[in-house]
Amino acid sequence: MIGRLNHVAIAVKDAAKASETYRFALGAKVSSPQDLPEHGVRVVFVELDNTKIEFLEPLGEASPIAKFLEKNPDGGMHHLCYEVKDILAARDALVAAGARVLGDGNPKTGAHGKPVLFLHPKDFLGTLTELEQV
Ligand code: CO
């Protein structure tokens, strides 16, 4: 079921500053910041040969990453995203295996305009795990 690693998301207080670190220290190719108000985040995409890194900065009052940054004021790895071919089939297999899907259990449109689901971190080694249908 599991496909490629689509991205690793890192929560940060300042996406522009994080970009500079990756651009200058690591020589990475980074996008300009993009606001996604419907997701409560400002994002920067870092393109690597084999995957992407996404910096997530909180946007607005009810940002889903605000709490994470309260607990991790320096930022930190927020989630991993794996690609799947059929997100509903993947969800049904995971639920049958006892995994918990966050929210109402139905896919939502993610930051890349594709259907995504999030799996409970307690069921996946303490790591919030996103599935994206590609
Ligand atoms: Co993601």
PDB file of all heavy atoms in Angstrom, residues 6-9 54 56 78-81 111-112 116 118 130 132, ligand 1:
ATOM      1  N   ASN A   6       6.429  11.355   0.234  1.00  0.00           N
ATOM      2  CA  ASN A   6       6.104  12.574  -0.511  1.00  0.00           C
ATOM      3  C   ASN A   6       6.782  13.790   0.103  1.00  0.00           C
ATOM      4  O   ASN A   6       7.361  14.605  -0.604  1.00  0.00           O
ATOM      5  CB  ASN A   6       4.587  12.757  -0.577  1.00  0.00           C
ATOM      6  CG  ASN A   6       4.200  13.953  -1.403  1.00  0.00           C
ATOM      7  OD1 ASN A   6       4.189  15.076  -0.907  1.00  0.00           O
ATOM      8  ND2 ASN A   6       3.918  13.747  -2.691  1.00  0.00           N
ATOM      9  N   HIS A   7       6.672  13.925   1.442  1.00  0.00           N
ATOM     10  CA  HIS A   7       7.368  15.028   2.109  1.00  0.00           C
ATOM     11  C   HIS A   7       7.524  14.771   3.599  1.00  0.00           C
ATOM     12  O   HIS A   7       6.829  13.943   4.167  1.00  0.00           O
ATOM     13  CB  HIS A   7       6.666  16.379   1.886  1.00  0.00           C
ATOM     14  CG  HIS A   7       5.256  16.448   2.395  1.00  0.00           C
ATOM     15  ND1 HIS A   7       4.165  16.133   1.634  1.00  0.00           N
ATOM     16  CD2 HIS A   7       4.756  16.824   3.598  1.00  0.00           C
ATOM     17  CE1 HIS A   7       3.057  16.303   2.335  1.00  0.00           C
ATOM     18  NE2 HIS A   7       3.386  16.721   3.545  1.00  0.00           N
ATOM     19  N   VAL A   8       8.453  15.502   4.166  1.00  0.00           N
ATOM     20  CA  VAL A   8       8.622  15.589   5.615  1.00  0.00           C
ATOM     21  C   VAL A   8       8.264  17.016   5.973  1.00  0.00           C
ATOM     22  O   VAL A   8       8.775  17.956   5.358  1.00  0.00           O
ATOM     23  CB  VAL A   8      10.085  15.300   6.036  1.00  0.00           C
ATOM     24  CG1 VAL A   8      10.269  15.485   7.534  1.00  0.00           C
ATOM     25  CG2 VAL A   8      10.510  13.909   5.598  1.00  0.00           C
ATOM     26  N   ALA A   9       7.351  17.200   6.927  1.00  0.00           N
ATOM     27  CA  ALA A   9       6.941  18.544   7.319  1.00  0.00           C
ATOM     28  C   ALA A   9       7.613  18.916   8.635  1.00  0.00           C
ATOM     29  O   ALA A   9       7.615  18.128   9.585  1.00  0.00           O
ATOM     30  CB  ALA A   9       5.425  18.623   7.460  1.00  0.00           C
ATOM     31  N   GLU A  54       8.795  20.383   3.841  1.00  0.00           N
ATOM     32  CA  GLU A  54       7.876  21.513   3.906  1.00  0.00           C
ATOM     33  C   GLU A  54       8.022  22.180   5.261  1.00  0.00           C
ATOM     34  O   GLU A  54       7.938  21.505   6.295  1.00  0.00           O
ATOM     35  CB  GLU A  54       6.434  21.028   3.747  1.00  0.00           C
ATOM     36  CG  GLU A  54       6.179  20.430   2.387  1.00  0.00           C
ATOM     37  CD  GLU A  54       4.736  20.012   2.202  1.00  0.00           C
ATOM     38  OE1 GLU A  54       3.898  20.293   3.090  1.00  0.00           O
ATOM     39  OE2 GLU A  54       4.461  19.394   1.179  1.00  0.00           O
ATOM     40  N   LEU A  56       6.257  24.517   7.874  1.00  0.00           N
ATOM     41  CA  LEU A  56       4.907  24.965   8.212  1.00  0.00           C
ATOM     42  C   LEU A  56       5.000  26.003   9.309  1.00  0.00           C
ATOM     43  O   LEU A  56       5.496  25.721  10.400  1.00  0.00           O
ATOM     44  CB  LEU A  56       4.057  23.787   8.736  1.00  0.00           C
ATOM     45  CG  LEU A  56       3.914  22.555   7.851  1.00  0.00           C
ATOM     46  CD1 LEU A  56       3.127  21.477   8.586  1.00  0.00           C
ATOM     47  CD2 LEU A  56       3.241  22.921   6.542  1.00  0.00           C
ATOM     48  N   HIS A  78       7.126  17.584  12.203  1.00  0.00           N
ATOM     49  CA  HIS A  78       5.698  17.572  12.510  1.00  0.00           C
ATOM     50  C   HIS A  78       5.001  16.340  11.952  1.00  0.00           C
ATOM     51  O   HIS A  78       4.208  15.717  12.640  1.00  0.00           O
ATOM     52  CB  HIS A  78       5.061  18.847  11.954  1.00  0.00           C
ATOM     53  CG  HIS A  78       3.628  19.003  12.318  1.00  0.00           C
ATOM     54  ND1 HIS A  78       2.604  18.654  11.477  1.00  0.00           N
ATOM     55  CD2 HIS A  78       3.049  19.457  13.458  1.00  0.00           C
ATOM     56  CE1 HIS A  78       1.443  18.894  12.081  1.00  0.00           C
ATOM     57  NE2 HIS A  78       1.693  19.381  13.275  1.00  0.00           N
ATOM     58  N   HIS A  79       5.262  16.003  10.704  1.00  0.00           N
ATOM     59  CA  HIS A  79       4.687  14.766  10.154  1.00  0.00           C
ATOM     60  C   HIS A  79       5.454  14.282   8.936  1.00  0.00           C
ATOM     61  O   HIS A  79       6.239  15.021   8.346  1.00  0.00           O
ATOM     62  CB  HIS A  79       3.196  14.939   9.818  1.00  0.00           C
ATOM     63  CG  HIS A  79       2.884  15.901   8.716  1.00  0.00           C
ATOM     64  ND1 HIS A  79       2.590  17.233   8.926  1.00  0.00           N
ATOM     65  CD2 HIS A  79       2.812  15.740   7.367  1.00  0.00           C
ATOM     66  CE1 HIS A  79       2.346  17.826   7.768  1.00  0.00           C
ATOM     67  NE2 HIS A  79       2.471  16.951   6.801  1.00  0.00           N
ATOM     68  N   LEU A  80       5.192  13.009   8.617  1.00  0.00           N
ATOM     69  CA  LEU A  80       5.695  12.384   7.394  1.00  0.00           C
ATOM     70  C   LEU A  80       4.518  12.162   6.483  1.00  0.00           C
ATOM     71  O   LEU A  80       3.415  11.878   6.957  1.00  0.00           O
ATOM     72  CB  LEU A  80       6.302  11.014   7.708  1.00  0.00           C
ATOM     73  CG  LEU A  80       7.506  10.973   8.621  1.00  0.00           C
ATOM     74  CD1 LEU A  80       7.868   9.514   8.891  1.00  0.00           C
ATOM     75  CD2 LEU A  80       8.671  11.695   7.978  1.00  0.00           C
ATOM     76  N   CYS A  81       4.721  12.276   5.188  1.00  0.00           N
ATOM     77  CA  CYS A  81       3.633  12.018   4.243  1.00  0.00           C
ATOM     78  C   CYS A  81       4.051  10.956   3.231  1.00  0.00           C
ATOM     79  O   CYS A  81       5.050  11.122   2.528  1.00  0.00           O
ATOM     80  CB  CYS A  81       3.237  13.291   3.513  1.00  0.00           C
ATOM     81  SG  CYS A  81       1.969  12.997   2.267  1.00  0.00           S
ATOM     82  N   ALA A 111      -2.478  20.334   1.052  1.00  0.00           N
ATOM     83  CA  ALA A 111      -1.739  21.515   0.593  1.00  0.00           C
ATOM     84  C   ALA A 111      -1.371  21.432  -0.886  1.00  0.00           C
ATOM     85  O   ALA A 111      -1.053  22.445  -1.507  1.00  0.00           O
ATOM     86  CB  ALA A 111      -0.481  21.704   1.431  1.00  0.00           C
ATOM     87  N   HIS A 112      -1.394  20.236  -1.468  1.00  0.00           N
ATOM     88  CA  HIS A 112      -1.047  20.097  -2.894  1.00  0.00           C
ATOM     89  C   HIS A 112      -2.279  19.882  -3.760  1.00  0.00           C
ATOM     90  O   HIS A 112      -2.168  19.473  -4.909  1.00  0.00           O
ATOM     91  CB  HIS A 112      -0.073  18.933  -3.097  1.00  0.00           C
ATOM     92  CG  HIS A 112       1.067  18.958  -2.145  1.00  0.00           C
ATOM     93  ND1 HIS A 112       1.288  17.980  -1.194  1.00  0.00           N
ATOM     94  CD2 HIS A 112       2.043  19.881  -1.951  1.00  0.00           C
ATOM     95  CE1 HIS A 112       2.346  18.287  -0.487  1.00  0.00           C
ATOM     96  NE2 HIS A 112       2.818  19.439  -0.911  1.00  0.00           N
ATOM     97  N   VAL A 116      -5.996  13.899   1.155  1.00  0.00           N
ATOM     98  CA  VAL A 116      -5.091  13.467   2.227  1.00  0.00           C
ATOM     99  C   VAL A 116      -5.881  13.015   3.449  1.00  0.00           C
ATOM    100  O   VAL A 116      -7.037  13.422   3.656  1.00  0.00           O
ATOM    101  CB  VAL A 116      -4.108  14.586   2.656  1.00  0.00           C
ATOM    102  CG1 VAL A 116      -3.278  15.080   1.490  1.00  0.00           C
ATOM    103  CG2 VAL A 116      -4.831  15.752   3.325  1.00  0.00           C
ATOM    104  N   PHE A 118      -4.890  11.988   7.802  1.00  0.00           N
ATOM    105  CA  PHE A 118      -3.858  11.913   8.833  1.00  0.00           C
ATOM    106  C   PHE A 118      -4.173  10.760   9.770  1.00  0.00           C
ATOM    107  O   PHE A 118      -5.336  10.540  10.133  1.00  0.00           O
ATOM    108  CB  PHE A 118      -3.784  13.222   9.620  1.00  0.00           C
ATOM    109  CG  PHE A 118      -3.080  14.323   8.864  1.00  0.00           C
ATOM    110  CD1 PHE A 118      -3.797  15.212   8.072  1.00  0.00           C
ATOM    111  CD2 PHE A 118      -1.705  14.459   8.933  1.00  0.00           C
ATOM    112  CE1 PHE A 118      -3.153  16.218   7.362  1.00  0.00           C
ATOM    113  CE2 PHE A 118      -1.045  15.469   8.226  1.00  0.00           C
ATOM    114  CZ  PHE A 118      -1.775  16.345   7.451  1.00  0.00           C
ATOM    115  N   GLU A 130       0.767  11.277   7.421  1.00  0.00           N
ATOM    116  CA  GLU A 130      -0.188  11.718   6.410  1.00  0.00           C
ATOM    117  C   GLU A 130      -0.123  10.764   5.223  1.00  0.00           C
ATOM    118  O   GLU A 130       0.963  10.292   4.851  1.00  0.00           O
ATOM    119  CB  GLU A 130       0.202  13.147   5.957  1.00  0.00           C
ATOM    120  CG  GLU A 130      -0.694  13.730   4.893  1.00  0.00           C
ATOM    121  CD  GLU A 130      -0.262  15.150   4.471  1.00  0.00           C
ATOM    122  OE1 GLU A 130       0.916  15.526   4.699  1.00  0.00           O
ATOM    123  OE2 GLU A 130      -1.099  15.879   3.919  1.00  0.00           O
ATOM    124  N   GLU A 132      -1.239  10.653   1.184  1.00  0.00           N
ATOM    125  CA  GLU A 132      -1.703  11.496   0.077  1.00  0.00           C
ATOM    126  C   GLU A 132      -1.917  10.621  -1.146  1.00  0.00           C
ATOM    127  O   GLU A 132      -1.051   9.829  -1.511  1.00  0.00           O
ATOM    128  CB  GLU A 132      -0.663  12.585  -0.228  1.00  0.00           C
ATOM    129  CG  GLU A 132      -1.092  13.502  -1.380  1.00  0.00           C
ATOM    130  CD  GLU A 132      -0.119  14.668  -1.569  1.00  0.00           C
ATOM    131  OE1 GLU A 132       0.006  15.498  -0.658  1.00  0.00           O
ATOM    132  OE2 GLU A 132       0.527  14.726  -2.625  1.00  0.00           O
TER     133      GLU A 132
HETATM  134 CO    CO B   1       1.872  17.316   4.805  1.00  0.00          CO
END
